[in-house]
Amino acid sequence: MGKAPTQDNLLVFYFTDDEAWESNCHNMLKAGFKQVASYNDYWDVSGRTFEDLDGYRVVLQNRE
């Protein structure tokens, strides 16, 4: 397994629909991602950060 070089290596997806955002957050957990506090507090204001087994992170933002 590899390892992400930093905790700030992110792939960010933006959702403007609340239901789609909630559904996708739930799907991330079902897929085995772990919800974590973001390295940068900015991403936690309107989003959730998920980490895979290699330490790479995906942010789902609930905004434009």
Side-chain angles (χ1 to χ4, degrees):
M1 258 195 287
K3 193 67 176 161
T6 71
Q7 291 180 328
D8 212 23
N9 266 20
L10 304 171
L11 177 61
V12 181
F13 293 96
Y14 292 87
F15 295 89
T16 56
D17 179 87
D18 293 345
E19 286 183 34
W21 178 73
E22 283 288 346
S23 175
N24 281 286
C25 287
H26 178 73
N27 288 340
M28 293 293 285
L29 295 171
K30 279 179 44 179
F33 286 81
K34 176 176 63 171
Q35 186 173 340
V36 296
S38 182
Y39 177 75
N40 181 334
D41 295 342
Y42 171 83
W43 298 113
D44 291 333
V45 174
S46 297
R48 295 185 191 158
T49 302
F50 300 90
E51 188 175 80
D52 71 9
L53 295 174
D54 291 327
Y56 286 93
R57 293 179 171 205
V58 175
V59 177
L60 302 185
Q61 279 288 297
N62 191 14
R63 63 168 56 167
E64 290 184 3

Coordinates of all heavy atoms in Angstrom, one line a residue:
M1 N 0.8 -1.2 0.0 CA 0.0 0.0 0.0 C 0.9 1.2 0.0 O 1.9 1.3 0.7 CB -0.9 0.0 1.3 CG -2.3 -0.4 1.0 SD -3.4 0.0 2.3 CE -3.0 -1.2 3.6
G2 N 0.4 2.3 -0.7 CA 1.1 3.6 -0.7 C 0.7 4.4 0.5 O -0.1 4.0 1.3
K3 N 1.2 5.6 0.5 CA 0.8 6.5 1.6 C 0.8 7.9 1.0 O 1.7 8.3 0.3 CB 1.8 6.4 2.7 CG 1.3 7.1 4.0 CD 0.1 6.4 4.6 CE -0.3 7.0 5.9 NZ -1.6 6.7 6.3
A4 N -0.3 8.7 1.3 CA -0.4 10.1 0.8 C 0.8 10.9 1.3 O 1.1 10.7 2.5 CB -1.7 10.7 1.2
P5 N 1.4 11.8 0.5 CA 2.5 12.6 1.0 C 2.1 13.5 2.1 O 3.0 13.8 2.9 CB 3.0 13.3 -0.3 CG 2.0 13.0 -1.3 CD 1.1 12.0 -0.9
T6 N 0.9 14.1 2.1 CA 0.5 15.0 3.2 C -1.0 14.8 3.4 O -1.7 14.2 2.6 CB 0.7 16.5 2.8 OG1 -0.3 16.8 1.8 CG2 2.1 16.8 2.3
Q7 N -1.5 15.3 4.5 CA -2.9 15.2 4.8 C -3.7 16.3 4.0 O -4.9 16.3 4.1 CB -3.2 15.5 6.3 CG -2.7 14.4 7.2 CD -2.9 14.6 8.7 OE1 -2.9 15.8 9.1 NE2 -3.1 13.6 9.4
D8 N -3.0 17.1 3.3 CA -3.7 18.1 2.5 C -3.8 17.8 1.1 O -4.0 18.6 0.2 CB -3.0 19.5 2.7 CG -3.9 20.7 2.6 OD1 -5.1 20.5 2.8 OD2 -3.5 21.8 2.3
N9 N -3.5 16.5 0.7 CA -3.7 16.0 -0.6 C -5.2 15.7 -0.7 O -5.7 14.7 -0.2 CB -2.9 14.7 -0.9 CG -1.6 14.9 -1.5 OD1 -1.1 16.0 -1.4 ND2 -1.0 13.9 -2.1
L10 N -5.9 16.5 -1.5 CA -7.4 16.4 -1.5 C -8.0 16.3 -2.9 O -7.4 17.0 -3.8 CB -8.0 17.6 -0.8 CG -7.6 17.9 0.6 CD1 -8.1 19.3 1.0 CD2 -8.0 16.9 1.6
L11 N -9.1 15.6 -3.0 CA -9.9 15.7 -4.1 C -11.2 16.2 -3.6 O -11.8 15.7 -2.6 CB -10.1 14.3 -4.7 CG -11.1 14.2 -5.9 CD1 -10.6 15.0 -7.1 CD2 -11.2 12.7 -6.3
V12 N -11.7 17.3 -4.2 CA -12.9 18.0 -3.6 C -14.1 17.9 -4.6 O -13.9 18.3 -5.8 CB -12.6 19.5 -3.3 CG1 -13.8 20.2 -2.7 CG2 -11.4 19.6 -2.3
F13 N -15.2 17.5 -4.1 CA -16.5 17.5 -4.9 C -17.4 18.5 -4.2 O -17.6 18.5 -3.0 CB -17.1 16.1 -4.9 CG -16.3 15.1 -5.7 CD1 -15.4 14.3 -5.0 CD2 -16.3 15.0 -7.1 CE1 -14.6 13.4 -5.7 CE2 -15.6 14.1 -7.8 CZ -14.7 13.3 -7.1
Y14 N -18.1 19.3 -5.0 CA -19.1 20.2 -4.5 C -20.5 19.8 -4.9 O -20.8 19.4 -6.0 CB -18.8 21.6 -5.2 CG -17.5 22.2 -4.7 CD1 -16.3 22.0 -5.3 CD2 -17.5 23.1 -3.6 CE1 -15.2 22.5 -4.9 CE2 -16.4 23.7 -3.2 CZ -15.2 23.4 -3.8 OH -14.0 23.9 -3.4
F15 N -21.4 19.8 -3.9 CA -22.8 19.5 -4.0 C -23.6 20.7 -3.6 O -23.5 21.1 -2.5 CB -23.2 18.2 -3.2 CG -22.5 17.0 -3.6 CD1 -21.2 16.7 -3.1 CD2 -23.0 16.1 -4.6 CE1 -20.6 15.5 -3.5 CE2 -22.4 15.0 -4.9 CZ -21.1 14.7 -4.4
T16 N -24.6 21.1 -4.4 CA -25.4 22.2 -4.1 C -26.8 21.7 -3.5 O -27.5 22.4 -2.9 CB -25.7 23.1 -5.3 OG1 -26.2 22.4 -6.4 CG2 -24.4 23.8 -5.7
D17 N -27.1 20.4 -3.8 CA -28.3 19.8 -3.3 C -28.0 19.1 -2.0 O -27.2 18.2 -1.9 CB -28.8 18.8 -4.3 CG -30.1 18.1 -3.9 OD1 -31.2 18.7 -4.1 OD2 -30.0 17.0 -3.3
D18 N -28.7 19.5 -0.9 CA -28.5 18.9 0.4 C -28.7 17.4 0.5 O -27.9 16.7 1.1 CB -29.4 19.6 1.5 CG -29.1 21.0 1.7 OD1 -28.0 21.5 1.3 OD2 -29.9 21.7 2.3
E19 N -29.7 16.9 -0.2 CA -30.0 15.5 -0.1 C -28.9 14.7 -0.9 O -28.5 13.6 -0.4 CB -31.4 15.2 -0.7 CG -32.5 15.6 0.2 CD -33.9 15.2 -0.4 OE1 -33.9 14.2 -1.1 OE2 -34.8 15.9 -0.2
A20 N -28.4 15.2 -2.0 CA -27.4 14.5 -2.8 C -26.1 14.5 -1.9 O -25.4 13.5 -1.9 CB -27.1 15.2 -4.1
W21 N -25.8 15.6 -1.2 CA -24.6 15.7 -0.4 C -24.7 14.7 0.7 O -23.7 13.9 0.9 CB -24.4 17.1 0.2 CG -23.3 17.3 1.1 CD1 -22.0 17.3 0.7 CD2 -23.3 17.4 2.5 NE1 -21.2 17.5 1.8 CE2 -22.0 17.6 2.9 CE3 -24.4 17.5 3.4 CZ2 -21.7 17.7 4.3 CZ3 -24.0 17.6 4.8 CH2 -22.7 17.8 5.2
E22 N -25.8 14.6 1.5 CA -26.0 13.7 2.5 C -25.8 12.2 2.0 O -25.2 11.4 2.7 CB -27.3 13.8 3.3 CG -27.4 15.0 4.2 CD -26.6 14.8 5.5 OE1 -26.2 13.7 5.8 OE2 -26.3 15.8 6.2
S23 N -26.5 11.9 0.9 CA -26.5 10.6 0.3 C -25.0 10.2 0.0 O -24.6 9.1 0.2 CB -27.3 10.6 -0.9 OG -27.3 9.3 -1.6
N24 N -24.3 11.1 -0.6 CA -22.9 10.8 -1.0 C -22.0 10.6 0.2 O -21.1 9.8 0.2 CB -22.4 11.8 -2.0 CG -22.9 11.6 -3.4 OD1 -22.4 10.6 -4.0 ND2 -23.8 12.3 -3.8
C25 N -22.2 11.4 1.3 CA -21.5 11.2 2.5 C -21.7 9.9 3.1 O -20.8 9.2 3.5 CB -21.8 12.3 3.5 SG -21.2 14.0 3.1
H26 N -23.0 9.4 3.1 CA -23.3 8.1 3.6 C -22.7 7.0 2.7 O -22.1 6.0 3.2 CB -24.8 8.0 3.5 CG -25.3 6.6 4.0 ND1 -25.3 6.2 5.3 CD2 -25.8 5.6 3.3 CE1 -25.8 5.0 5.4 NE2 -26.1 4.6 4.2
N27 N -22.7 7.2 1.4 CA -22.0 6.3 0.5 C -20.5 6.1 0.7 O -20.0 5.0 0.6 CB -22.3 6.6 -1.0 CG -23.8 6.4 -1.4 OD1 -24.5 5.6 -0.7 ND2 -24.2 7.1 -2.4
M28 N -19.9 7.2 1.0 CA -18.4 7.2 1.3 C -18.2 6.3 2.5 O -17.2 5.4 2.5 CB -17.9 8.6 1.6 CG -17.9 9.5 0.4 SD -16.8 9.0 -0.9 CE -15.2 9.5 -0.2
L29 N -19.0 6.4 3.6 CA -18.8 5.5 4.8 C -19.1 4.1 4.4 O -18.4 3.2 4.9 CB -19.7 6.0 5.9 CG -19.4 7.4 6.4 CD1 -20.5 7.9 7.4 CD2 -18.0 7.4 7.1
K30 N -20.1 3.8 3.6 CA -20.5 2.5 3.2 C -19.4 1.8 2.4 O -19.1 0.6 2.4 CB -21.8 2.5 2.4 CG -23.0 2.5 3.3 CD -24.3 2.5 2.5 CE -24.3 1.5 1.3 NZ -25.6 1.5 0.6
A31 N -18.6 2.7 1.6 CA -17.6 2.2 0.8 C -16.3 1.9 1.6 O -15.3 1.5 1.0 CB -17.3 3.2 -0.3
G32 N -16.3 2.3 2.8 CA -15.1 2.0 3.6 C -14.2 3.1 4.0 O -13.1 3.0 4.6
F33 N -14.6 4.3 3.5 CA -13.8 5.5 3.8 C -14.1 5.9 5.3 O -15.1 5.6 5.8 CB -14.2 6.7 3.0 CG -13.7 6.6 1.5 CD1 -14.3 5.8 0.6 CD2 -12.6 7.3 1.2 CE1 -13.9 5.7 -0.7 CE2 -12.1 7.2 -0.1 CZ -12.7 6.4 -1.1
K34 N -13.1 6.5 5.9 CA -13.2 6.9 7.3 C -13.4 8.4 7.3 O -12.6 9.2 6.7 CB -12.0 6.5 8.1 CG -11.9 7.0 9.5 CD -10.6 6.4 10.2 CE -9.4 6.9 9.5 NZ -8.1 6.6 10.3
Q35 N -14.4 9.0 8.1 CA -14.6 10.4 8.2 C -13.5 10.9 9.2 O -13.4 10.3 10.3 CB -16.0 10.8 8.6 CG -16.2 12.3 8.6 CD -17.6 12.7 8.9 OE1 -18.5 11.9 8.8 NE2 -17.8 13.9 9.3
V36 N -12.8 12.0 8.8 CA -11.8 12.5 9.6 C -11.9 14.1 9.7 O -12.5 14.7 8.8 CB -10.4 12.2 9.1 CG1 -10.1 10.7 9.1 CG2 -10.2 12.7 7.7
A37 N -11.3 14.7 10.7 CA -11.2 16.1 10.7 C -10.3 16.6 9.7 O -9.2 15.9 9.4 CB -10.8 16.6 12.1
S38 N -10.6 17.6 9.0 CA -9.7 18.1 7.9 C -8.5 18.7 8.5 O -8.4 19.3 9.5 CB -10.5 19.1 7.1 OG -9.7 19.6 6.0
Y39 N -7.4 18.6 7.7 CA -6.1 19.2 8.1 C -6.3 20.8 8.1 O -5.7 21.5 8.9 CB -5.0 18.8 7.1 CG -3.7 19.4 7.3 CD1 -2.9 19.0 8.3 CD2 -3.2 20.4 6.4 CE1 -1.6 19.6 8.5 CE2 -2.0 21.0 6.6 CZ -1.2 20.6 7.6 OH 0.0 21.2 7.8
N40 N -7.1 21.3 7.1 CA -7.4 22.7 7.0 C -8.8 22.9 7.5 O -9.8 22.4 6.8 CB -7.2 23.2 5.6 CG -7.4 24.6 5.4 OD1 -8.2 25.3 6.1 ND2 -6.8 25.2 4.4
D41 N -9.1 23.6 8.6 CA -10.4 23.8 9.1 C -11.4 24.3 8.1 O -12.6 24.2 8.3 CB -10.4 24.8 10.3 CG -9.6 24.2 11.5 OD1 -9.4 23.0 11.5 OD2 -9.2 25.0 12.3
Y42 N -11.0 25.0 7.1 CA -11.9 25.6 6.0 C -12.8 24.5 5.5 O -14.0 24.7 5.3 CB -11.0 26.1 4.9 CG -11.9 26.5 3.7 CD1 -12.5 27.8 3.7 CD2 -12.0 25.7 2.6 CE1 -13.3 28.1 2.6 CE2 -12.8 26.0 1.5 CZ -13.4 27.3 1.5 OH -14.2 27.6 0.4
W43 N -12.3 23.3 5.3 CA -13.1 22.2 4.6 C -14.2 21.7 5.6 O -15.1 21.1 5.1 CB -12.2 21.1 4.1 CG -11.3 21.6 3.1 CD1 -9.9 21.7 3.2 CD2 -11.6 22.1 1.8 NE1 -9.4 22.2 2.0 CE2 -10.4 22.4 1.1 CE3 -12.8 22.2 1.1 CZ2 -10.4 22.9 -0.2 CZ3 -12.8 22.7 -0.2 CH2 -11.6 23.1 -0.8
D44 N -14.0 21.9 6.9 CA -15.0 21.4 7.8 C -16.2 22.3 8.0 O -17.2 21.9 8.6 CB -14.4 21.1 9.2 CG -13.4 19.9 9.2 OD1 -13.6 19.0 8.3 OD2 -12.5 20.0 10.0
V45 N -16.1 23.5 7.5 CA -17.2 24.5 7.7 C -18.5 24.0 7.0 O -19.6 24.0 7.6 CB -16.8 25.9 7.2 CG1 -18.0 26.9 7.2 CG2 -15.6 26.4 8.0
S46 N -18.4 23.6 5.7 CA -19.6 23.2 5.0 C -19.3 21.9 4.3 O -20.0 21.5 3.3 CB -19.9 24.2 3.9 OG -20.2 25.5 4.4
G47 N -18.4 21.1 4.9 CA -18.2 19.8 4.2 C -17.7 18.7 5.2 O -17.6 19.0 6.4
R48 N -17.4 17.6 4.6 CA -16.9 16.5 5.4 C -15.7 15.9 4.6 O -15.7 15.8 3.4 CB -18.0 15.4 5.6 CG -19.1 15.8 6.4 CD -20.1 14.7 6.7 NE -21.3 15.2 7.3 CZ -22.5 14.6 7.2 NH1 -22.6 13.4 6.6 NH2 -23.5 15.1 7.8
T49 N -14.7 15.5 5.4 CA -13.5 14.9 4.8 C -13.5 13.4 5.1 O -13.7 13.0 6.2 CB -12.3 15.6 5.4 OG1 -12.3 17.0 5.1 CG2 -11.0 15.1 4.8
F50 N -13.1 12.7 4.1 CA -13.0 11.2 4.2 C -11.6 10.8 3.8 O -11.1 11.4 2.8 CB -14.1 10.5 3.3 CG -15.5 10.9 3.7 CD1 -16.1 12.0 3.1 CD2 -16.2 10.2 4.6 CE1 -17.4 12.4 3.4 CE2 -17.5 10.6 5.0 CZ -18.1 11.7 4.4
E51 N -11.1 9.8 4.4 CA -9.8 9.3 4.1 C -9.8 7.8 3.7 O -10.5 7.0 4.4 CB -8.9 9.5 5.4 CG -7.5 9.2 5.2 CD -6.6 9.5 6.4 OE1 -6.6 8.7 7.3 OE2 -6.0 10.6 6.4
D52 N -9.0 7.4 2.7 CA -8.9 6.0 2.4 C -7.8 5.3 3.1 O -7.1 5.9 3.9 CB -8.8 5.8 0.8 CG -7.5 6.2 0.3 OD1 -6.5 6.5 1.0 OD2 -7.4 6.3 -1.0
L53 N -7.6 4.1 2.9 CA -6.6 3.3 3.6 C -5.2 3.8 3.4 O -4.3 3.5 4.2 CB -6.7 1.8 3.2 CG -8.0 1.1 3.6 CD1 -8.0 -0.3 3.0 CD2 -8.2 1.1 5.1
D54 N -4.9 4.5 2.3 CA -3.6 5.0 1.9 C -3.4 6.4 2.5 O -2.3 7.0 2.3 CB -3.4 5.0 0.4 CG -3.2 3.6 -0.1 OD1 -2.7 2.7 0.6 OD2 -3.7 3.4 -1.3
G55 N -4.4 6.9 3.1 CA -4.3 8.3 3.7 C -4.7 9.4 2.7 O -4.5 10.6 3.0
Y56 N -5.1 9.0 1.5 CA -5.6 10.1 0.6 C -7.0 10.5 1.0 O -7.8 9.7 1.5 CB -5.6 9.6 -0.9 CG -4.3 9.5 -1.4 CD1 -3.5 8.3 -1.4 CD2 -3.7 10.6 -2.0 CE1 -2.3 8.2 -1.9 CE2 -2.4 10.5 -2.6 CZ -1.7 9.3 -2.5 OH -0.4 9.2 -3.0
R57 N -7.3 11.8 0.8 CA -8.5 12.4 1.3 C -9.4 12.9 0.2 O -8.9 13.5 -0.8 CB -8.2 13.5 2.3 CG -7.5 12.9 3.6 CD -7.2 13.9 4.6 NE -6.7 13.3 5.8 CZ -6.8 13.8 7.0 NH1 -7.3 15.1 7.1 NH2 -6.4 13.2 8.1
V58 N -10.7 12.8 0.5 CA -11.8 13.3 -0.4 C -12.6 14.2 0.5 O -13.0 13.8 1.6 CB -12.6 12.2 -1.0 CG1 -13.8 12.7 -1.8 CG2 -11.8 11.2 -1.8
V59 N -12.9 15.4 -0.1 CA -13.8 16.3 0.6 C -15.1 16.4 -0.1 O -15.1 16.7 -1.4 CB -13.2 17.7 0.8 CG1 -14.1 18.7 1.4 CG2 -11.9 17.6 1.6
L60 N -16.2 16.3 0.6 CA -17.5 16.5 0.0 C -18.0 17.8 0.6 O -18.3 17.9 1.8 CB -18.5 15.4 0.2 CG -18.0 14.0 -0.3 CD1 -19.2 13.0 0.0 CD2 -17.7 14.0 -1.7
Q61 N -18.1 18.9 -0.3 CA -18.6 20.2 0.2 C -20.0 20.4 -0.2 O -20.5 20.0 -1.3 CB -17.8 21.3 -0.5 CG -16.4 21.5 0.1 CD -16.5 22.2 1.4 OE1 -17.0 23.4 1.5 NE2 -16.1 21.6 2.4
N62 N -20.8 21.0 0.7 CA -22.2 21.3 0.6 C -22.3 22.8 0.2 O -22.9 23.5 1.0 CB -23.0 20.9 1.8 CG -24.5 20.9 1.6 OD1 -24.9 21.0 0.5 ND2 -25.2 20.9 2.7
R63 N -21.8 23.2 -0.9 CA -21.9 24.6 -1.4 C -21.5 24.6 -2.8 O -21.0 23.7 -3.4 CB -21.0 25.5 -0.5 CG -19.5 25.1 -0.6 CD -18.6 26.2 0.0 NE -18.9 26.5 1.3 CZ -18.1 27.1 2.1 NH1 -17.0 27.6 1.7 NH2 -18.5 27.4 3.4
E64 N -21.7 25.8 -3.4 CA -21.3 26.0 -4.8 C -19.8 26.2 -4.9 O -19.1 26.7 -4.0 CB -22.0 27.2 -5.4 CG -23.5 26.9 -5.6 CD -24.1 28.1 -6.3 OE1 -23.5 29.0 -6.7 OE2 -25.3 28.0 -6.5

